[in-house]
Amino acid sequence: EFQGQKIEAMEGYVDAQTGEVYRFIDTVEYFQAKGSVFPVTNDGNAPLGVQTVAPMPFMNVGSEVTDAGGNFINSGPQTAHLEGPFVKMIDQCGTASLTQTDGIDWGSHSGTD
């Protein structure tokens, strides 16, 4: 078992006569949740006040939570919510959720809130 991995699917190519390992790779298909964020402020001053695309770590996506890099492994249609084990968004406009296939991309918006 590799530290931090929930699912393991490894593939190895080994010389049957010598036992030499030629290749050993992780075959799990990873997907990423990402979106455009203001890193510190929305004042428009680069670099910390300008929207940038960033991974969405520790976000609920389907039945799992993304890792520190915003990665998750369940393929197919998944619904993500702007909440997770460390934050719960309470918004008077309603719950923010997005359903997409093979990755979640919240995109960007010209708004500043």
Side-chain angles (χ1 to χ4, degrees):
E1 181 174 311
F2 293 96
Q3 184 177 1
Q5 280 191 258
K6 299 175 190 170
I7 292 180
E8 296 175 9
M10 306 301 286
E11 183 177 283
Y13 290 88
V14 180
D15 186 306
Q17 292 181 341
T18 67
E20 181 180 357
V21 176
Y22 291 111
R23 183 168 71 164
F24 193 63
I25 59 171
D26 182 355
T27 59
V28 173
E29 290 188 46
Y30 296 92
F31 304 98
Q32 187 178 52
K34 61 184 176 180
S36 185
V37 298
F38 289 99
V40 175
T41 180
N42 61 357
D43 63 9
N45 294 320
L48 299 178
V50 179
Q51 281 190 33
T52 186
V53 174
M56 298 291 172
F58 311 111
M59 175 190 295
N60 292 341
V61 176
S63 61
E64 64 182 302
V65 176
T66 61
D67 65 13
N71 301 304
F72 62 98
I73 51 179
N74 288 336
S75 64
Q78 298 292 323
T79 300
H81 301 278
L82 289 177
E83 60 183 50
F86 303 109
V87 67
K88 180 170 179 72
M89 172 116 19
I90 298 174
D91 189 342
Q92 298 301 321
C93 298
T95 303
S97 66
L98 177 65
T99 301
Q100 291 182 332
T101 300
D102 298 339
I104 299 290
D105 188 350
W106 292 91
S108 63
H109 189 275
S110 60
T112 57
D113 61 345

